[in-house]
Amino acid sequence: MEASVGYWPVKEDKVFALQSQQTHQMRQNYIYRPQTQPITHTTDPIVTGTSVLGIKYKDGVMLAADTLASYGSLARFREMQRLEKVGNSTLIGASGEISDFQFIMEDLNKVMTQEFVRDDGYNMTAPEVYSYMSRVMYNRRSKMDPYYNALVIGGLNAAGAPFLGYVDMYGTTYEDNQIATGYGNYLARPLLRKYQRNDMSEEEAKKLLEDSLRVLFYRDARSTNKIQLAKVTKDGVVISQSYELETNWDIGKGVSH
Amino acid sequence: MAVEFDGGVVMGADSRTTTGSYIANRVSDKITELTDKIWICRSGSAADTQAISDYLKYYLAMHSVELNEEPLVRTAAALGQQMCYSNKNAVQAGLIVAGWDRAKGGQVYNIPLGGTLVRQPFSIGGSGSTYIYGYCDAHYKPGMSKEECLTFVHNSLALAMARDGSSGGVIRTVVITKDGIERNMVPGNRLPIFYEGP
């Protein structure tokens, strides 16, 4: 594909949090694009994150992911936070292209700021973030210019009930009591389906996610054992510090050929 | 990788076999015996290198019966080169043949993808090796003892395994001297640790 011609948003844009629809449209009109092909950005992911897991438990939802950003097969950035909070009651975890995730976070933060400034008594909670991201992702895919991510969106809804959803680069969406992306779909889902219960305690939820991430570390060649857990409860969003998982290599003894 | 020292060789390898990014075996043994004192480090296609090793083991067994002597490391390496060179379009194999014989003591021979044969004081191969050329060039010194070689191998492999997604698991080592073989395994949670930050 040919590279598209244009210019990148300037740093000063961050100051204009209240950029109106009109000025945004005007800026779009000034971007030079040769009318040969649609503009595409991420067609091939470069810096990527692997699986993200999410489960509902007694106090809310818990998300987990490792802290690696790979550059192909190179373990390039070993302390990349892939779980971020959005407002006070939503967590978003991303796998796939990290630059697209960073852009999505900037956009979501702008949206949350605008909502705050509007001050109309309504707050965006997890289901609203999920709906918004679902539209954003599907619209980008329809322009053949996806955000190359699979997102796990977890949190509490306005009534305080746990919410957990999945949105990906194709605009596929679903909600469930357990969510997994990437290799987690194959390796973690059987464990999550067997052991997850909506009334799990926090310790049980933590153990289940750690065990699942451990299996992923054993079997996914684009993962590490440095992980992060994050939870959303009625007391807010907490993202843990990264820590290392214990591993067992006993089966390596006595193997030889 | 393999390193020569006075009296023998130290061979080391990781234990990860992948199909794409799925780890098919996290505790593989990539150091294979050809004869008592000649072993081979295998990288590239597992199927190709296993088939080649099986042939080499058979040929060397026949050869040593005819010779009525232990075969030379150089013979094993030359046979390996023949197989890789003549089948260069069909085979993806990066081999390191290393061992001890009475003629020249410890020797290390590298056979990269096209079937070149090169003797080296130390040799690295496999996808993870690209990340440790600098480290190995900086830390290798001629005349290292067996223990220094072991440390060098463990540190080099640990660094490669920390960065290369296609490498990982445990570190297996084989030390070959005139007195015999010493196999060892360092589990994945006890590897040497270097910079682990962002």
Side-chain angles (χ1 to χ4, degrees), chain B residues 60-127:
Chain B
L60 288 168
M62 289 297 115
H63 177 61
S64 81
V65 165
E66 290 167 6
L67 224 53
N68 202 22
E69 258 177 42
E70 291 297 308
L72 299 177
V73 186
R74 189 169 141 195
T75 311
L79 282 171
Q81 175 186 32
Q82 278 283 73
M83 308 206 68
C84 291
Y85 178 72
S86 348
N87 298 296
K88 68 158 76 190
N89 294 320
V91 137
Q92 244 181 39
L95 306 172
I96 301 178
V97 179
W100 181 93
D101 62 30
R102 270 183 340 169
K104 295 196 190 173
Q107 296 144 77
V108 172
Y109 294 90
N110 195 353
I111 308 169
L113 243 41
T116 316
L117 175 62
V118 155
R119 183 178 173 194
Q120 294 179 295
F122 77 95
S123 210
I124 57 177
S127 59

Side-chain angles (χ1 to χ4, degrees), chain B residues 131-140 151-152 155-157 159 194:
Chain B
Y131 302 109
I132 53 171
Y133 275 93
Y135 178 82
C136 290
D137 288 348
H139 284 80
Y140 173 77
T151 308
F152 175 57
N155 286 342
S156 309
L157 291 177
L159 284 165
F194 296 89

Side-chain angles (χ1 to χ4, degrees), chain A residues 80-99:
Chain A
M80 173 69 63
Q81 183 165 314
R82 303 194 287 116
L83 306 171
E84 295 278 5
K85 78 173 196 158
V86 181
N88 280 323
S89 55
T90 314
L91 261 179
I92 188 163
S95 61
E97 172 66 48
I98 300 294
S99 66

